[in-house]
Amino acid sequence: MSLEITFLGTGSAMPCPARGASALVLRREGQCWLFDCGEGTQTQLMRSHLRAAKITKIFITHLHGDHIFGLPGLLCTLSLQMSGPEACKAPIDIYGPLGLRSFLWRSLELSHSQLLFSYTVHELVPTRDQCPPEEFRDFSGLDEALPQGPPGRVLHLDPEEDCYVLLEDEELVVRAFRLFHRVPSFGFVLEEKPRPGKLNVQKLKDLG
């Protein structure tokens, strides 16, 4: 399995000319997975060797603006590109904290933006001990106000594993773990599954 990481932005709080806001791309088997999407991420993508149209999954660590303000714009740009050779854009799965679905739907609805591809938002329900008590906001009722919000799962913490299982295929498992920050935050772990070797142990023993 081939994995390649590209840092598009490592800054925090606000963008600057020489350092973009938080964004990282993992390229795997021809697909691009984006982790966080701060302001200016799509510009950074254009300066890189990556193709934004290859993004199939987006993971958001938390809902601070320097990690999500670039997301609606990126999705709109991907949609605009569909009139050209990228007309067969694959659906995008987006993972992030509870409230992300409402943020995206409202941003696109209020700006009269219509995407020409489908996207799914999978929300992670935080626990109250992930941030200072005075900073915790209960966003569990936001989706009820969305008449036609994007589909997706609501993921709860697995108390036995102390994590959220996001996806799994033959090669790896992706999990989210709780982090402590000023707002509920998550870290993401990609765990490659064991690959049994092909050594013939008995043959080696026979040969001494």
Side-chain angles (χ1 to χ4, degrees):
M1 181 170 58
S2 174
L3 298 175
E4 176 185 294
I5 293 177
T6 301
F7 293 93
L8 298 177
T10 57
S12 65
M14 55 186 287
C16 64
R19 192 178 186 190
S22 181
L24 177 154
V25 171
L26 173 74
R27 189 162 66 170
R28 176 202 177 211
E29 308 297 337
Q31 297 183 21
C32 289
W33 294 3
L34 176 64
F35 292 81
D36 280 341
C37 190
E39 184 180 350
T41 294
Q42 56 180 316
T43 304
Q44 293 292 88
L45 275 166
M46 294 173 190
R47 293 173 177 164
S48 74
H49 65 286
L50 303 168
R51 295 174 62 199
K54 294 293 185 180
I55 294 174
T56 57
K57 300 188 189 306
I58 299 174
F59 302 84
I60 301 296
T61 58
H62 62 291
L63 299 183
H64 273 156
D66 55 333
H67 293 254
I68 64 169
F69 281 165
L71 186 52
L74 174 64
L75 296 178
C76 289
T77 295
L78 292 176
S79 183
L80 288 172
Q81 292 176 345
M82 290 188 63
S83 60
E86 306 298 343
C88 296
K89 178 78 187 86
I92 293 181
D93 284 298
I94 305 173
Y95 301 83
L98 196 66
L100 182 59
R101 178 182 287 109
S102 179
F103 166 76
L104 274 178
W105 184 86
R106 294 177 193 279
S107 297
L108 297 172
E109 182 73 10
L110 290 172
S111 60
H112 293 249
S113 303
Q114 296 181 345
L115 302 184
L116 300 179
F117 61 90
S118 61
Y119 71 99
T120 303
V121 180
H122 308 286
E123 293 184 303
L124 285 65
V125 179
T127 58
R128 290 182 176 269
D129 57 354
Q130 285 182 248
C131 67
E134 65 274 12
E135 296 283 356
F136 187 85
R137 302 288 186 273
D138 185 1
F139 294 145
S140 57
L142 287 180
D143 290 354
E144 298 174 3
L146 303 184
Q148 293 179 332
R153 297 174 292 158
V154 176
L155 303 171
H156 294 269
L157 178 73
D158 183 335
E160 294 185 1
E161 298 290 336
D162 195 28
C163 70
Y164 306 73
V165 178
L166 306 186
L167 60 98
E168 182 174 2
D169 61 23
E170 295 179 353
E171 295 182 324
L172 57 75
V173 181
V174 181
R175 296 183 174 90
F177 291 85
R178 296 175 296 164
L179 300 175
F180 186 86
H181 188 36
R182 218 158 43 81
V183 297
S185 303
F186 298 90
F188 301 101
V189 175
L190 283 71
E191 181 182 350
E192 189 175 2
K193 291 184 176 180
R195 290 182 291 174
K198 297 181 179 179
L199 283 176
N200 187 329
V201 178
Q202 187 56 50
K203 185 70 172 180
L204 291 174
K205 289 181 178 179
D206 294 342
L207 295 172

